[in-house]
Amino acid sequence: MLEEIRIRSMGVIGDAVLELSPGLNVLSGETGAGKTMIITALNLVLGGKADGSLVRTGTDRLTVSARFQVEEGHPARKIVSDAGAEIEEESAILARSVSDQGRSRALISGSPVNASTLAEIATEIISIHAQSANVRLLKTSAQREILDLFGGSELSIIFMQYQDAYSHFRETEQKLLDIRRLGALADLEVTEYRALVDDVGLVSPQPGELEHLASEMARLDYIDELREAATVAHDAIVGGAGEDVTGLSLLAQAVKALEKVQSRDPNLRSILDRLTEPILIVKEIAGEIASYETSLDADPSRLESLHERRSVLSALLRRHSLSVASDDNALIEIVKRSQLAEEILLGRENLDLEIQAGVESVESARKHLVVAAMKLSLARQGIADQISQLVTVKIRELAMPNAEFSVKVQSRNSEDGLEINGSRVAFSATGVDEVEMLLSAHVGGAPVPLAKGASGGELSRVMLALEVVLARNSKVKTFVFDEVDAGVGGKAAIEVGRQLAELARDAQVIVVTHLAQVAAFADAHYTVRKSEDGLVSESDVRLLNQAERVIELARMLAGQEESDSARRHAEELLEMARRT
């Protein structure tokens, strides 16, 4: 449920707060007072397009927030949680600010989120209808969605079964297409693949091989210098022939000198211990140098074989249009190419068998898809009959006593379609059905598609009737209507109010209206007024008491709130609404 809307610096609204109630909430006010701006603000805070022109002149930013009650287990809670925000005490505060340059910021309970997250939450908690929603109703895709929504969880399961069958069919089709493309490989391509596989298999390049070759070749090229350096280093540490003074001998002399006098001063013991440790380390290093020197045996044949190996690898890479690089990227690439080529060649060898298996898989998937499509169509047809009957009843209650509403579910022929009952019909991820809503507004009138024959007032009443019928299966429990009473008046307006009141028995309904006949049914009636300075402030959005409602309804009826006859008429409307 929507509990509160706060608006600042948006259009004619300077600073206003609207606290809403359960049941039917009605907003009224003179033209230009800003009541429709409240719906615009709600659209914005629910992820609508940011528009800098909405920022009030003289200010640089507008802010809008809406507090929704979101009970435990509601799907919106997961969306909020996934966005990194929290819901405290079953209330989520959605907020949006927009600069006069059109830049916006979105928040949920103080945590930054994307505007798309607000839009995702909106689909779970609220349904907003204005003239634009009525226009959308004219699209057959929207009409199919409405039918599926009415089908509830039972139809949803059947629909998901169809979508699974559809996805599987498309996957098997794509696999067969890939296999057939493989069969279309030119002989030249096959020859190139075979040459690549044979070359790589013959040379057998290893990961890191070029770097390893470069390292070993460098060592062999400078082996004399390396051996000389190792000899000098070794002699300096342990001594060569005829050498008495070495690194180790000097360290040994230092130890011997300190050992003689260590008993004279305890502090020398610590120094002596630390001096002994490097002697052990230096001896170990001397051994390593000796081993290294022994390993430096000149081997001209080894160096020659390394050069030959590098030449073989380089020739392999050049032959297959890859640059020679010491970092081995080219070797990695050619091995990958060879593996892919080998898979392609192997697949081609089994091509005929794979094509046959692919054809059989596609046909099996097609049969399952046909069964799922027929099941979905049958379910939709049954639901269409239910909606037709229920909406017809509601429309007739809306001062259209001879109207007939119907939903037609049919398929469209297509040469590339599925074969169902002897005909080939078009299909997509949503099924084989095209859903069309029709209206016959008068006795003897032929049913006409809404997109072709419904007036604005008729379309508004159809939308309202649909909402009342669909409310029983809707996950949304807050409905907002703007201009739902466009093009209606008199008895029709009273029936619009009555239907909104019926919808409000099971949900929260918010209506912006200029008709007293609608406003009379409100559980909570609010007015929006402009101050003398042209602004709407907090004090200008008010919940009316009973006496104030009479005055406001009189204004809406006759434009003369002081008129006794207008007030009596207003009181009659309120009494009539109470008895309903």
Side-chain angles (χ1 to χ4, degrees), residues 41 152 167 275 287 291 319 336 445 499 516 531 551 577:
S167 297
L275 186 58
S291 296
R319 193 156 52 248
K336 286 183 178 178
Q499 294 295 339
S531 302
I551 296 172

Side-chain angles (χ1 to χ4, degrees), residues 44 283 286 363 367 421 446 479 514:
L44 182 63
K283 284 182 178 180
E363 288 308 310
K367 289 178 181 178
N421 296 328
F479 297 87
H514 65 278

Side-chain angles (χ1 to χ4, degrees), residues 80-259:
V80 172
S81 177
D82 291 345
E86 295 181 357
I87 294 179
E88 298 179 0
E89 297 181 358
E90 294 195 351
S91 288
I93 299 177
L94 279 57
R96 190 94 178 271
S97 65
V98 181
S99 72
D100 54 4
Q101 301 299 312
R103 291 187 293 272
S104 74
R105 187 174 182 228
L107 302 168
I108 298 178
S109 299
S111 299
V113 297
N114 296 324
S116 59
T117 301
L118 299 181
E120 188 179 359
I121 292 173
T123 62
E124 300 289 344
I125 60 178
I126 194 167
S127 177
I128 300 178
H129 295 281
Q131 287 296 338
S132 58
N134 290 347
V135 170
R136 183 174 178 273
L137 180 60
L138 301 179
K139 298 180 180 180
T140 56
S141 60
Q143 294 173 7
R144 181 191 56 76
E145 290 171 5
I146 290 172
L147 184 146
D148 287 351
L149 178 63
F150 184 82
S153 59
E154 184 176 347
L155 180 64
S156 178
I157 293 171
I158 297 173
F159 186 37
M160 286 189 291
Q161 290 172 346
Y162 171 83
Q163 288 192 313
D164 288 343
Y166 177 82
S167 297
H168 179 61
F169 173 70
R170 288 305 190 195
E171 288 171 4
T172 56
E173 267 195 329
Q174 185 60 49
K175 287 179 181 178
L176 179 58
L177 181 61
D178 291 342
I179 294 170
R180 283 178 167 158
R181 282 175 180 167
L182 182 62
L185 282 176
D187 291 340
L188 178 60
E189 290 177 296
V190 174
T191 301
E192 290 176 351
Y193 285 146
R194 174 54 61 195
L196 173 61
V197 172
D198 290 345
D199 282 356
V200 171
L202 183 63
V203 174
S204 188
Q206 302 300 311
E209 187 172 1
L210 281 174
E211 292 182 2
H212 178 73
L213 288 173
S215 175
E216 188 173 357
M217 289 166 65
R219 191 178 72 154
L220 291 175
D221 282 337
Y222 298 99
I223 193 166
D224 291 336
E225 292 181 33
L226 295 172
R227 184 184 290 112
E228 181 181 354
T231 300
V232 171
H234 186 269
D235 290 348
I237 295 172
V238 300
E243 292 186 13
D244 295 328
V245 180
T246 65
L248 277 175
S249 67
L250 292 174
L251 287 171
Q253 289 177 23
V255 170
K256 186 175 181 181
L258 293 175
E259 284 178 337

Side-chain angles (χ1 to χ4, degrees), residues 100 152 242 345 509 558:
D100 54 4
L345 292 171
V509 180

Side-chain angles (χ1 to χ4, degrees), residues 193-508:
Y193 285 146
R194 174 54 61 195
L196 173 61
V197 172
D198 290 345
D199 282 356
V200 171
L202 183 63
V203 174
S204 188
Q206 302 300 311
E209 187 172 1
L210 281 174
E211 292 182 2
H212 178 73
L213 288 173
S215 175
E216 188 173 357
M217 289 166 65
R219 191 178 72 154
L220 291 175
D221 282 337
Y222 298 99
I223 193 166
D224 291 336
E225 292 181 33
L226 295 172
R227 184 184 290 112
E228 181 181 354
T231 300
V232 171
H234 186 269
D235 290 348
I237 295 172
V238 300
E243 292 186 13
D244 295 328
V245 180
T246 65
L248 277 175
S249 67
L250 292 174
L251 287 171
Q253 289 177 23
V255 170
K256 186 175 181 181
L258 293 175
E259 284 178 337
K260 290 180 179 180
V261 296
Q262 65 173 323
S263 61
R264 317 255 180 196
D265 186 349
N267 292 330
L268 288 177
R269 184 71 238 172
S270 173
I271 296 173
L272 185 60
D273 289 342
R274 283 186 287 133
L275 186 58
T276 301
E277 184 178 355
I279 291 177
L280 298 175
I281 294 173
V282 170
K283 284 182 178 180
E284 184 178 346
I285 292 172
E288 292 177 5
I289 293 174
S291 296
Y292 174 75
E293 186 178 5
T294 302
S295 70
L296 293 174
D297 291 333
D299 186 355
S301 63
R302 175 58 180 167
L303 182 60
E304 183 180 353
S305 68
L306 293 176
H307 279 288
E308 289 177 356
R309 178 60 178 173
R310 186 171 68 175
S311 296
V312 169
L313 292 172
S314 299
L316 172 67
L317 296 174
R318 283 194 296 269
R319 193 156 52 248
H320 295 283
S321 303
L322 288 169
S323 62
V324 180
S326 61
D327 60 3
D328 285 282
N329 285 338
L331 282 184
I332 294 171
E333 175 63 21
I334 199 168
V335 170
K336 286 183 178 178
R337 289 187 186 181
S338 174
Q339 291 170 344
L340 178 60
E342 194 166 11
E343 290 175 4
I344 291 173
L345 292 171
L346 180 62
R348 200 169 190 272
E349 291 173 1
N350 302 319
L351 197 59
D352 291 341
L353 290 176
E354 289 191 22
I355 289 177
Q356 181 60 35
V359 169
E360 292 174 0
S361 294
V362 168
E363 288 308 310
S364 175
R366 188 191 301 273
K367 289 178 181 178
H368 283 93
L369 183 59
V370 167
V371 172
M374 294 176 65
K375 184 178 180 180
L376 179 59
S377 291
L378 186 62
R380 280 176 171 161
Q381 186 60 64
I383 293 165
D385 292 342
Q386 293 179 47
I387 293 178
S388 298
Q389 295 172 21
L390 293 171
V391 174
T392 294
V393 171
K394 292 301 177 186
I395 292 177
R396 288 178 177 177
E397 292 175 355
L398 291 169
M400 294 176 65
N402 299 309
E404 188 79 31
F405 177 84
S406 60
V407 180
K408 182 167 63 176
V409 179
Q410 59 186 0
S411 302
R412 177 172 52 85
N413 291 334
S414 171
E415 292 182 1
D416 300 325
L418 295 177
E419 186 172 345
I420 298 179
N421 296 328
S423 300
R424 288 199 171 273
V425 298
F427 67 103
S428 68
T430 59
V432 297
D433 307 308
E434 293 189 354
V435 176
E436 190 171 41
M437 294 181 176
L438 304 99
L439 180 68
S440 171
H442 310 289
V443 175
V448 179
L450 293 180
K452 296 180 180 179
S455 67
E458 290 169 345
L459 199 58
S460 293
R461 280 177 269 185
V462 169
M463 173 59 81
L464 178 57
L466 281 168
E467 285 293 5
V468 173
V469 168
L470 293 174
R472 68 187 68 177
N473 293 330
S474 178
K475 61 186 176 182
V476 172
K477 294 304 177 185
T478 295
F479 297 87
V480 179
F481 295 92
D482 185 19
E483 302 182 39
V484 69
D485 49 18
V488 299
K491 183 178 179 182
I494 291 175
E495 294 304 327
V496 168
R498 199 189 310 275
Q499 294 295 339
L500 289 169
E502 180 181 338
L503 179 59
R505 291 172 186 166
D506 301 312
Q508 181 189 41

